[in-house]
Amino acid sequence: MPKILVSDPIDQVGIDILSQVATVDIKTNLTPDELVQVIPDYDAIMIRSGTKLTKQAIEAGKNLKIIGRAGVGVDNVDVPTATRQGIVVVNSPEGNTIAAAEHALAMMLSLSRFVPEANASIKSGKWDRKSFTGVEVYKKTLGVVGLGKIGSHVATVAKSMGMKLLAYDPFLSAERAEQLGVSLVELEILLRESDYITLHIPKTKETQHLINAKTLGIMKPNARIINCARGGIIDEAALTEALINGTIAGAAIDVFENEPLEADSPLRNAPASRLVLTPHLGASTEEAQANVAIDVAEQIRDVLLGLPARAAVNIPGLRPDVWQKLKPYLQLSEMLGNLVGQLAGGRVDNLDVRLQGEIATSDSQPIVVAALKGLLSQALQERVNFVNASLEAKERGIRVTETRDAAIEDYTGSLTLTAKGSQGQQSVTGALLGKGEIRITNINDFPINVAPTHYMLLTLHRDMPGIIGKIGSLLGTFNVNIASMQVGRRIVRGEAVMVINIDDPLPSGLLDEIGHIQGVTDAFMVNL
């Protein structure tokens, strides 16, 4: 039975789901060294933000098939290393959307009305109303940086509160912006014109310290900034200086470059009346914790059962809806990749993927990945999967090209793979018949119609009397049973291809004997 490690606290409902398919061990507060020691025993690990899955930890997880992050961000997971190891990484991109959006709004309102300061004052025995005169958000301009699901929800609620909306998101269409009622502008304009700025972007090389001394200097003196996204987007030292100097009016921060917030953090020196701090509470609602636990636990369960994950961050394009639609073509593509790889024999430098007919209008990325998985399967065996196939191909210098033709010819949809390498060029075509039955329909421009089986003998030979009989007799001599046979040729007595489906692998040396039959140009044994 598979084993799953849960190294951060998660809702019990997630544990219950995992327990359906595996033995679950809950070991929280592991040190990095302790994690490296125990992780080799597990097939899956489920974490939140506390556990750091470093390169060392992931490489130690020799049996890991999936890493589940109960939350949105995966910045505490070395995703490139996981991908290289063929480990699926999943998250819960929508489980805490409402919680995070509501917290950003709560932070904005708390900052505007001095809620934390007023609360502390009255609990200390004071009754001081004059010191806590706030500002309204009504008719103020809110600048939303990043209009994903969280940012969009913040914008929707803020609009209902009477706020004017500016937004910066280089990936958002004008149509979507119009639906949300926001004005898309450049970042500098947003910073210059907004009364409130809320950040809803991931931490990347491009967004690291996006808010710094320079960008803070662009803002209005009465501007207030909220960050419930990721620590590191704001330069905390520069923000502290801006609050002390009155460059901006206030800030509300839920996420930090280093968590827990360090004792010597510059933020601790900022004026309390201008800064609201919370300890990464964006997803800390009962509903959100249950949602992300269910979402990620179900994905771990599904992957361990051999099903696709619905929110894998390192499997390009392979969403569950895509997987269900393309599943027969993915199987076809992987089989053809395996076949052409064996025919190519040596190193493959180029793989051309040609999509014909209805398949040409589909999302091709998963199909290409499946072809690469099949192509590399003979060399890498179980080390290659949908997660790392593209990376493994890239590291081996395999150049992939793709062509499409939506015109329907002999079949409603077909796929051709052409491999070029150290031993020349090989090409195979396949198609789907009714009920998703796979057929090999062409090999090196020779038309055939073959149902692929585990063991197949392929020959290139002269189309002349006696060849087929000699090969059949030789197979019979060695007690190799023929299940079926197909011959493809372009002209009478020219070159021909023969595919023989056999029930057992060829005995040692027999393939060489077949290759020495007069008229046989080449012979291949294929194991699918």
Side-chain angles (χ1 to χ4, degrees), residues 159-291:
K159 186 174 179 65
S160 71
M161 295 168 65
M163 300 188 78
K164 300 174 184 177
L165 299 175
L166 298 179
Y168 170 72
D169 190 326
F171 304 105
L172 191 76
S173 67
E175 291 78 12
R176 177 58 176 159
E178 185 177 355
Q179 289 175 357
L180 292 170
V182 305
S183 298
L184 280 178
V185 296
E186 293 300 319
L187 180 61
E188 183 173 341
I189 295 174
L190 181 146
L191 296 175
R192 195 181 305 279
E193 298 184 5
S194 297
D195 300 300
Y196 293 86
I197 297 161
T198 181
L199 306 176
H200 301 287
I201 52 178
K203 180 187 175 185
T204 65
K205 291 180 180 179
E206 292 73 25
T207 63
Q208 172 80 10
H209 286 185
L210 178 70
I211 304 302
N212 50 46
K214 180 180 178 181
T215 50
L216 286 163
I218 297 174
M219 299 179 196
K220 294 179 179 181
N222 66 339
R224 294 168 172 84
I225 189 165
I226 300 101
N227 184 17
C228 294
R230 282 285 170 258
I233 298 173
I234 296 179
D235 182 336
E236 294 171 0
L239 176 62
T240 301
E241 286 297 315
L243 293 171
I244 292 172
N245 297 334
T247 305
I248 64 172
I253 310 297
D254 183 52
V255 288
F256 308 92
E257 289 200 62
N258 296 300
E259 296 182 1
L261 185 64
E262 299 161 319
D264 60 351
S265 168
L267 291 172
R268 296 188 185 275
N269 300 320
S273 61
R274 293 185 175 179
L275 180 63
V276 176
L277 301 178
T278 53
H280 204 147
L281 299 180
S284 295
T285 65
E286 294 179 4
E287 295 87 350
Q289 292 308 301
N291 289 341

Side-chain angles (χ1 to χ4, degrees), residues 94-394:
E94 300 181 23
N96 59 14
T97 295
I98 300 302
E102 288 184 355
H103 193 63
L105 292 161
M107 295 282 271
M108 180 176 69
L109 293 171
S110 295
L111 184 63
S112 300
R113 300 303 297 268
F114 298 103
V115 172
E117 286 288 293
N119 175 67
S121 174
I122 198 168
K123 284 184 175 179
S124 68
K126 299 177 183 178
W127 186 262
D128 182 3
R129 299 174 64 190
K130 292 183 180 180
S131 297
F132 304 118
T133 302
V135 294
E136 298 178 3
V137 300
Y138 180 63
K139 290 189 176 180
K140 298 297 194 304
T141 298
L142 174 64
V144 184
V145 181
L147 274 171
K149 294 184 180 298
I150 297 173
S152 295
H153 189 73
V154 169
T156 300
V157 176
K159 186 174 179 65
S160 71
M161 295 168 65
M163 300 188 78
K164 300 174 184 177
L165 299 175
L166 298 179
Y168 170 72
D169 190 326
F171 304 105
L172 191 76
S173 67
E175 291 78 12
R176 177 58 176 159
E178 185 177 355
Q179 289 175 357
L180 292 170
V182 305
S183 298
L184 280 178
V185 296
E186 293 300 319
L187 180 61
E188 183 173 341
I189 295 174
L190 181 146
L191 296 175
R192 195 181 305 279
E193 298 184 5
S194 297
D195 300 300
Y196 293 86
I197 297 161
T198 181
L199 306 176
H200 301 287
I201 52 178
K203 180 187 175 185
T204 65
K205 291 180 180 179
E206 292 73 25
T207 63
Q208 172 80 10
H209 286 185
L210 178 70
I211 304 302
N212 50 46
K214 180 180 178 181
T215 50
L216 286 163
I218 297 174
M219 299 179 196
K220 294 179 179 181
N222 66 339
R224 294 168 172 84
I225 189 165
I226 300 101
N227 184 17
C228 294
R230 282 285 170 258
I233 298 173
I234 296 179
D235 182 336
E236 294 171 0
L239 176 62
T240 301
E241 286 297 315
L243 293 171
I244 292 172
N245 297 334
T247 305
I248 64 172
I253 310 297
D254 183 52
V255 288
F256 308 92
E257 289 200 62
N258 296 300
E259 296 182 1
L261 185 64
E262 299 161 319
D264 60 351
S265 168
L267 291 172
R268 296 188 185 275
N269 300 320
S273 61
R274 293 185 175 179
L275 180 63
V276 176
L277 301 178
T278 53
H280 204 147
L281 299 180
S284 295
T285 65
E286 294 179 4
E287 295 87 350
Q289 292 308 301
N291 289 341
V292 297
I294 292 170
D295 192 3
V296 174
E298 287 179 345
Q299 292 185 79
I300 292 175
R301 176 199 64 194
D302 290 349
V303 167
L304 293 180
L305 291 174
L307 301 172
R310 57 176 172 266
V313 302
N314 59 347
I315 304 183
L318 203 58
R319 305 185 310 275
D321 56 331
V322 174
W323 186 81
Q324 288 295 337
K325 178 181 177 182
L326 294 182
K327 183 179 178 181
Y329 281 116
L330 295 178
Q331 294 171 334
L332 171 66
S333 183
E334 184 175 348
M335 182 277 295
L336 292 176
N338 193 343
L339 174 58
V340 78
Q342 293 185 60
L343 296 181
R347 184 189 72 250
V348 172
D349 299 314
N350 295 277
L351 179 69
D352 180 73
V353 181
R354 178 179 175 80
L355 300 97
Q356 181 80 40
E358 67 176 14
I359 192 176
T361 62
S362 301
D363 182 357
S364 63
Q365 195 172 28
I367 295 171
V368 172
V369 172
L372 291 172
K373 179 177 182 291
L375 180 72
L376 297 170
S377 61
Q378 291 296 316
L380 301 179
Q381 300 296 322
E382 70 279 354
R383 283 173 48 206
V384 63
N385 55 30
F386 279 101
V387 176
N388 62 5
S390 296
L391 181 62
E392 293 284 359
K394 183 178 181 180

Side-chain angles (χ1 to χ4, degrees), residues 19-35:
S19 300
Q20 296 172 2
V21 296
T23 301
V24 181
D25 292 336
I26 302 173
K27 298 179 181 179
T28 59
N29 300 315
L30 293 172
T31 67
D33 288 341
E34 289 172 339
L35 180 61

